[in-house]
Amino acid sequence: MSARSLPLLLALASASAAAADAPPLQKIVYELAMNGQKIGTRELSIRYLPREDGERRVIEAYTDVTVAGRKLVCRSSGQSTSHGANFVSSIDDGGAISQVQGMELPDGSWRVIYADGGGVKESTYTREQVRMSSLDLLDPGRKIGRAHV
């Protein structure tokens, strides 16, 4: 081994150690189709972060769809634990931007804020009104072990 290759080997060893310490990550990329024709893609990643009081999952999704010449891009991220969840989604619908933010409250209800070019609207929904969030669709295991479910 030459003196020149030592820094490269150390860098590779360091990168391998950092990768081994990184939280588990699931990543899925798939095509979206309508009537057999590709209209876009979705990239989804779920990172599992251990905590003293249970696992936290961080979900990120990027969707890019074009239908009949109209482009829609959606970026979403959310976190869930056995104690609750939150999410943020931004949507670009051909240049019209909107955003939805949601936070699950301790009693199981949700506070949701919607903002677009027309203003901001905030609503609270009871746990009976919100049986499921988009996080449940992407990560159905998040409800397992939750005290209020």
Side-chain angles (χ1 to χ4, degrees):
M1 169 170 48
S2 72
R4 287 188 342 194
S5 63
L6 184 59
L8 177 59
L9 288 174
L10 290 174
L12 288 173
S14 175
S16 296
D21 291 340
L25 171 70
Q26 279 183 303
K27 188 162 187 169
I28 304 167
V29 178
Y30 52 96
E31 291 183 356
L32 301 173
M34 185 169 71
N35 298 325
Q37 299 293 313
K38 180 181 174 183
I39 60 169
T41 58
R42 171 169 279 171
E43 298 175 27
L44 176 66
S45 66
I46 304 174
R47 186 171 310 276
Y48 301 88
L49 305 169
R51 295 170 31 151
E52 288 182 20
D53 62 346
E55 182 178 76
R56 183 177 95 188
R57 288 173 296 288
V58 178
I59 300 170
E60 296 176 320
Y62 175 81
T63 307
D64 186 338
V65 175
T66 302
V67 177
R70 187 172 178 178
K71 185 174 179 92
L72 178 74
V73 177
C74 180
R75 290 178 176 85
S76 301
S77 65
Q79 299 182 47
S80 66
T81 70
S82 61
H83 304 294
N86 64 64
F87 69 88
V88 175
S89 293
S90 64
I91 302 159
D92 180 344
D93 184 356
I97 308 294
S98 60
Q99 185 178 68
V100 179
Q101 298 178 21
M103 181 175 73
E104 187 175 17
L105 301 173
D107 66 359
S109 64
W110 280 81
R111 179 179 305 138
V112 178
I113 300 169
Y114 177 79
D116 65 6
V120 176
K121 179 181 177 189
E122 182 174 342
S123 301
T124 301
Y125 300 94
T126 67
R127 65 186 287 178
E128 289 76 27
Q129 291 173 304
V130 180
R131 292 282 191 201
M132 174 180 262
S133 73
S134 58
L135 287 173
D136 297 314
L137 297 173
L138 298 173
D139 183 18
R142 87 173 194 88
K143 287 209 174 231
I144 295 172
R146 291 180 60 191
H148 66 273
V149 174

